[in-house]
Amino acid sequence: MRVLGIDPGLRSMGWGVIDIDGSRLSHVANGQCTSVSGDLGPRLFSLFDQLRAIVAQYAPDGAAVEQTFVNRDGAGTLKLGQARGVAMVALAEAGLNIGEYSPNAVKKAVVGVGHADKAQVAHMVGFQLPGAKLVGPDATDALAIAICHAHHMQSAMPLAKALARADAARVAG
């Protein structure tokens, strides 16, 4: 299974693609979409267009996006939310199921500590995806989001299978 992780941002939107084979994770690609300068509408559209190309090129089976956190700068939070919305629409347009994770949930899944710093996250992403050339901090965060989604999917699969078996037994019996 292939997963695309997205770290939303208006200036730079990180993305990372990993493959999942059982409990093994492998790096496929990572990068940063950079918006054009100027008015907000064209900037958002340039991000959307770049994400569509990434989805088309790497054909992920699922995706994950970091949730927006509210900070003191209301205008900045709103712009971040708009960039996140662009990512959600690009992924939904491709028919992908989208996981959403808080920054602390991503850090906890990757590092084991919900308040890890960026250096710790980068170290653990590099450890879990050996040989990956990390393009930048936004791409590193996007790979961490993809890893978080992979862990959540791996823990959800046994539950889904058990529920399917129980449902089949109920229908049969």
Side-chain angles (χ1 to χ4, degrees), residues 95-155:
L96 298 173
N97 288 327
I98 306 165
E100 301 177 66
Y101 303 98
S102 71
N104 285 350
V106 172
K107 291 172 185 176
K108 186 156 181 74
V110 175
V111 178
V113 179
H115 294 287
D117 64 30
K118 287 210 177 263
Q120 291 172 304
V121 172
H123 174 76
M124 289 306 294
V125 167
F127 180 77
Q128 293 183 49
L129 302 173
K133 303 276 189 272
L134 304 176
V135 172
D138 297 322
T140 302
D141 288 348
L143 285 168
I145 293 160
I147 291 168
C148 175
H149 190 58
H151 291 321
H152 279 83
M153 287 174 30
Q154 288 168 337
S155 64

Side-chain angles (χ1 to χ4, degrees), residues 2-8 13-19 26-33 51 54-55 58 60 62-65 91 125 129 132-149:
R2 181 165 283 186
V3 173
L4 169 62
I6 302 289
D7 180 31
M13 185 175 293
W15 60 271
V17 181
I18 63 171
D19 281 341
S26 57
H27 175 262
V28 175
N30 69 93
Q32 297 178 167
C33 301
L51 282 176
I54 291 161
V55 169
Y58 294 103
V65 178
L91 300 172
V125 167
L129 302 173
K133 303 276 189 272
L134 304 176
V135 172
D138 297 322
T140 302
D141 288 348
L143 285 168
I145 293 160
I147 291 168
C148 175
H149 190 58

